[in-house]
Amino acid sequence: MNRFHKYLSISLLTLSLAACKEDFLERQPPNIILDSQVWNDTRMITSLLANYYDRLPAHTQIDIGSDVNANPARFTGWTDFAAYDEAMWSGNNDGPNNIISYGFERWRLWDYGLIRDINLAIESLETKSTALSAAQKAQFTAEFRFLRAMMYFELVKRMGGVPVITKQLIYDFSGNPSSLQFPRNKEAEVYDFIASELDAIKNDLGNAGSNTRANKFTAMALKSRAMLYAGSIAKYNSRMGAPITTPGGEVGIPANRAQEYYTKALEAAKEVIAGPYSLYRANPNLGENFFEAITKKINNPEIILAKDFLTAKDKRHGFSYDNIARNIREDNLSSSNITPVLNLVEDYEYLDGSSGELKTRTPDDRDYIYYDNLSGPFANKDARLYGTVIYPGTSFRGQEVQIQAGVMVWNAASNNYQVVEGNTLGALYTDGKLLTGSSGPQRSQTEVSNTGFYLRKYIDPTPLSSTRGIRSDMWWVRFRLGEILLNAAEAAFELGQTADALTYVNRLRERAGFPANSLSSLTLARIQNERRVELAFEDHRVWDLMRWRIAHEVWNGSTSNPDAMMYALYPYRVVRPGDPARDGKYVFVKLVAPRFRAPRLFQMGNYYSSIDQAVINNNPKIVRNPFH
C-alpha cells in the first residue's frame, strides 16, 4: 500500500509538472528588472540619471594608481589641487612635492562607457517608453543629452577632438570590427556639437529650482564655459610660435573662429545672468559670506549645479577628514594634506587696490615689519581670501587655528635675531608663552601645514564631519553665478565690449569688499587674476592656464621662476625684553616651502593628454596627440 501511494504521488507530480511546464518556463525571474519596466517608470529613469550624474568627471586628474581602461571615470578627488600653484602637499609622503614634470597621461580621459550608456538611454526612451507622456519623454531625453554634452566637454578639454558617437554601436560578431571604429572628430567639431546639443535641449529641460539636476540655465552655463574654452584656444593657440595642431584638425581650432565662439559664450552667459540666480549675500561678514556662497546648501541663490552628497553614511566623503587644520581635527589619523601656498595668497589684493604682496620687511629691507597680532598682514584684504584660506590669526568652527612657526629671540651681542622652532606642536618657550603653534607650520613633520596656511573652502564646518565614522556631505559645485559673471566678462572683453566686461567683474569685487566700480580699466591679466582668486580650488586653474596657452610659461620648471616655485609664510613671536615696540609682536618670513622639492614643469605635450595605446590598438583610425 505504501508502495502504491509512492508511485501514485510520483505520477501525479509528473502530470502536474507536464501541465505547467510551459507556463513555468515563460515566467519572468522576480529579481530581474525588464527594459519595459525601467523605461516606463519615472522613478527608475530618475535613478538612472542620478547614476550618470555621479559618473561625470568632477576633478582635474584621473587616479593614476587605478586601471584607467577598466575604470576610466575613477577620480582621486580634490587632492590633486596640491599638484598645482594653489597648494602643495603637507600630508604623508613627499611624492606629490617631487613632481619634476607632469606626465602626458595626467589628465587622460576616454570614457566611452558612459557615452554608450547615455546613447542607450536616449534610444530606449524613444522606442520603449510607451507609458510616458510626450512631455516626460522630451524632458528625460533632454537631460540625458545634457549629460552627454557635458561628458564630451570633459573629453575635449583634455584630449582635443574625439569621436562623436551619438548612437549605440553593436558588434555583429562577423570578425570585422571596422563598423565600430570611428576616427577622431576635429576639436572644433566637438565644441560645435556641444553648443548645438545645448541649444536644442535647453527649452525641454525641466527641473526648475533644482541645483542638482540640469535645467535651461545649467545648459547655458555649460555652453558659456565650453564656448569660452573654444574661443581661447582658437585665439591663443594661433599666437604661439609653433601652434599645437594636427593635420586633420583633431587638435587646434582655426583663429578665425575665435570671435564666433566668444560671442556664443557671452550670449549663453547673459541668459544665465538674466535667470533666477543672484550672488550670495546673506552674511554681513564678507569673508564668511564668500565661504557660504560655495558651501551653503539651503537658500543659496548662487549655485546653478552641484554634485551633492547624501546624508546617508555611504554617500559621504572624507575630504574634511583629510584636510582640516591640524589643531581642530577630531578623531583624525590624517589631516592637513592640501595646504594653500603663499603664491595664491598674495594674488588677493588689498581693498585699496594695492598689490596683494604681503608686507613683511621695511622698504629698505633693514628690518622686519612688526605686527600686533598674527592677522596683521592680512588686514583689509580681498574678503575672498578669508573665504578660501585659513591664514594666521583666524579661526574655524569657532576655534583659533593656532599658526606660529616659532619665536625670534633678540641677541643684543650679535645685534640680530636667533630663530627658535620647536619640534612639538603647541610647545611653550622658556618664557611660558607659545613657541610653536598647535597647527604649525612645521618644516618636516607631516600632516601639519608646511606653508603656514590651511584650506577653508570646501572644509565642512559641521561638528563631527571630519571624523572617520561620520564624514562630510559637503557638496561639489559644478557651476555657480560667480563663474558665469567671469565668463561673460572675459568673452565681452575679447569682443571689445570693455564697459560690459567691467560691470561683470566689479559686481564680484564689490561683494568681496572693494568699492563699487573699483576697476575703471581692464586687461586680460586682470581678468586672469580675478578668476584665480574667485574660483580657487573649484577646478578651473589648470584648465584656464591651458586654454590661454600660458601653462608652459607659468610652470616652466625653473627655480628662478617664482610662479614655478611654491612659497610659504612662517610667523614668529618676537622675544625682545626691554623693547616694548617689538617685544611680543609678530614678524613674518617668506621662504620656499621646505618640503617643496621641484619646480612645476608643464611641457608642450601636456596641453593635450596622451591617448592610451590600448585605444589605438583597438582602433587604428585614432591618431595620436602632438608630442606623444
Side-chain angles (χ1 to χ4, degrees):
M1 187 66 176
N2 288 337
R3 182 178 297 178
F4 173 79
H5 279 289
K6 177 181 178 181
Y7 289 143
L8 179 62
S9 297
I10 292 173
S11 300
L12 291 173
L13 178 60
T14 302
L15 290 171
S16 175
L17 286 174
C20 68
K21 180 178 180 181
E22 184 175 348
D23 291 341
F24 177 79
L25 292 176
E26 292 178 354
R27 290 177 59 191
Q28 297 295 339
N31 60 340
I32 295 177
I33 300 175
L34 304 178
D35 267 5
S36 59
Q37 293 173 287
V38 173
W39 302 112
N40 289 287
D41 188 323
T42 57
R43 294 170 300 177
M44 289 189 182
I45 299 172
T46 302
S47 295
L48 194 62
L49 279 165
N51 176 266
Y52 293 175
Y53 275 104
D54 190 57
R55 289 167 61 184
L56 285 174
H59 315 298
T60 52
Q61 176 199 352
I62 291 178
D63 185 351
I64 57 176
S66 67
D67 184 342
V68 174
N69 293 317
N71 192 0
R74 182 182 173 205
F75 285 73
T76 58
W78 289 280
T79 55
D80 297 302
F81 294 123
Y84 311 117
D85 62 350
E86 293 170 317
M88 66 166 283
W89 185 255
S90 288
N92 289 317
N93 174 21
D94 268 339
N97 298 323
N98 288 315
I99 297 173
I100 297 174
S101 62
Y102 298 111
F104 290 163
E105 78 290 343
R106 186 173 185 87
W107 297 280
R108 179 190 292 165
L109 179 66
W110 201 269
D111 187 2
Y112 276 87
L114 181 55
I115 297 291
R116 176 200 61 220
D117 290 347
I118 293 172
N119 288 340
L120 171 63
I122 293 170
E123 293 178 23
S124 296
L125 279 168
E126 176 64 28
T127 60
K128 299 175 182 177
S129 297
T130 56
L132 269 60
S133 68
Q136 288 174 316
K137 289 172 66 172
Q139 178 180 327
F140 282 130
T141 299
E143 201 163 355
F144 281 115
R145 289 173 70 180
F146 167 83
L147 291 170
R148 186 173 63 186
M150 191 162 180
M151 188 63 203
Y152 273 115
F153 172 65
E154 294 296 335
L155 286 165
V156 72
K157 79 178 185 182
R158 292 168 168 83
M159 312 303 297
V162 295
V164 175
I165 309 298
T166 59
K167 295 182 178 180
Q168 288 189 79
L169 301 180
I170 302 174
Y171 183 50
D172 60 8
F173 296 97
S174 65
N176 180 5
S178 60
S179 63
L180 307 180
Q181 297 170 338
F182 289 79
R184 296 172 64 183
N185 283 78
K186 295 179 180 180
E187 186 171 11
E189 290 174 341
V190 181
Y191 279 107
D192 292 341
F193 171 76
I194 293 166
S196 63
E197 280 288 280
L198 296 171
D199 285 340
I201 66 173
K202 67 179 183 180
N203 291 322
D204 288 329
L205 285 168
N207 311 321
S210 173
N211 50 26
T212 56
R213 293 179 65 182
N215 58 41
K216 170 184 177 179
F217 302 103
T218 316
M220 291 301 97
L222 173 56
K223 184 182 177 184
S224 80
R225 185 188 293 178
M227 296 300 98
L228 187 65
Y229 279 41
S232 303
I233 294 167
K235 180 173 182 176
Y236 294 105
N237 188 65
S238 66
R239 293 189 176 187
M240 300 180 78
I244 306 172
T245 60
T246 53
E250 296 88 357
V251 162
I253 299 176
N256 60 11
R257 298 202 62 186
Q259 185 171 10
E260 170 195 347
Y261 285 125
Y262 283 130
T263 300
K264 290 180 178 179
L266 180 56
E267 290 173 348
K270 284 182 174 180
E271 285 194 57
V272 180
I273 293 167
Y277 306 98
S278 61
L279 293 178
Y280 183 89
R281 295 177 180 271
N283 194 324
N285 181 311
L286 298 183
E288 293 287 353
N289 183 79
F290 185 71
F291 173 74
E292 292 176 5
I294 288 85
T295 60
K296 189 174 181 182
K297 292 185 179 182
I298 300 173
N299 297 325
N300 188 341
E302 184 161 344
I303 305 304
I304 300 169
L305 183 68
K307 177 177 180 175
D308 204 355
F309 291 83
L310 304 178
T311 56
K313 179 179 177 181
D314 63 343
K315 287 296 292 182
R316 292 178 172 233
H317 59 78
F319 183 72
S320 294
Y321 178 91
D322 285 333
N323 295 292
I324 195 165
R326 173 65 179 240
N327 75 294
I328 58 173
R329 63 182 183 173
E330 292 166 296
D331 70 350
N332 301 47
L333 299 176
S334 173
S335 68
S336 320
N337 290 325
I338 299 173
T339 52
V341 291
L342 181 62
N343 312 46
L344 172 65
V345 170
E346 291 197 316
D347 273 351
Y348 290 86
E349 295 174 290
Y350 288 93
L351 296 179
D352 62 5
S354 61
S355 165
E357 183 179 357
L358 298 179
K359 301 169 180 63
T360 61
R361 304 282 299 183
T362 57
D364 59 8
D365 198 32
R366 296 180 63 182
D367 198 2
Y368 294 104
I369 294 176
Y370 297 86
Y371 290 96
D372 292 334
N373 52 61
L374 285 165
S375 61
F378 309 95
N380 299 313
K381 270 248 183 183
D382 183 333
R384 291 174 290 191
L385 173 62
Y386 180 93
T388 304
V389 174
I390 294 174
Y391 52 80
T394 54
S395 60
F396 191 75
R397 290 182 177 172
Q399 302 177 61
E400 178 192 3
V401 179
Q402 199 177 66
I403 300 175
Q404 181 178 309
V407 296
M408 289 272 195
V409 182
W410 180 251
N411 187 324
S414 61
N415 198 38
N416 60 23
Y417 284 107
Q418 176 188 359
V419 178
V420 180
E421 297 176 355
N423 292 323
T424 302
L425 299 178
L428 301 181
Y429 187 54
T430 56
D431 61 1
K433 298 179 182 179
L434 187 66
L435 171 60
T436 304
S438 52
S439 279
Q442 222 281 338
R443 293 176 183 267
S444 58
Q445 185 173 338
T446 63
E447 297 181 348
V448 60
S449 178
N450 193 237
T451 65
F453 304 102
Y454 287 93
L455 188 61
R456 184 186 301 271
K457 187 181 280 190
Y458 283 122
I459 301 298
D460 198 330
T462 308
L464 301 181
S465 60
S466 63
T467 64
R468 180 180 294 272
I470 304 298
R471 298 182 295 160
S472 173
D473 67 350
M474 177 68 70
W475 62 9
W476 167 259
V477 175
R478 295 186 186 273
F479 296 98
R480 65 180 176 91
L481 185 60
E483 180 210 340
I484 306 306
L485 288 169
L486 289 171
N487 292 353
E490 185 177 343
F493 174 80
E494 295 286 7
L495 293 169
Q497 301 173 25
T498 307
D500 289 343
L502 278 167
T503 298
Y504 297 130
V505 172
N506 279 327
R507 282 178 62 179
L508 289 170
R509 288 171 61 85
E510 187 271 332
R511 179 175 68 168
F514 291 92
N517 302 316
S518 59
L519 292 182
S520 57
S521 62
L522 204 57
T523 63
L524 179 61
R526 165 66 68 180
I527 292 172
Q528 289 171 341
N529 196 73
E530 288 297 321
R531 288 186 70 90
R532 178 156 166 73
V533 298
E534 175 76 25
L535 303 174
F537 301 106
E538 295 182 48
D539 196 15
H540 291 277
R541 178 64 172 168
V542 64
W543 310 113
D544 281 347
L545 295 184
M546 288 168 71
R547 66 183 176 85
W548 292 321
R549 292 298 193 255
I550 59 174
H552 68 288
E553 298 171 351
V554 174
W555 300 322
N556 66 356
S558 172
T559 56
S560 62
N561 176 9
D563 291 323
M565 300 295 291
M566 299 297 108
Y567 292 88
L569 183 76
Y570 277 33
Y572 296 89
R573 179 173 60 86
V574 175
V575 179
R576 195 167 177 171
D579 188 341
R582 295 179 175 86
D583 185 51
K585 307 290 186 179
Y586 295 92
V587 296
F588 296 79
V589 175
K590 299 179 184 180
L591 67 159
V592 174
R595 288 178 60 197
F596 184 72
R597 310 299 187 195
R600 308 292 194 211
L601 175 59
F602 187 100
Q603 302 172 84
M604 301 302 288
N606 291 123
Y607 278 107
Y608 296 93
S609 292
S610 62
I611 299 172
D612 189 79
Q613 184 61 44
V615 172
I616 298 173
N617 291 344
N618 289 330
N619 184 358
K621 296 178 183 178
I622 299 295
V623 300
R624 296 185 190 278
N625 276 331
F627 308 107
H628 301 161

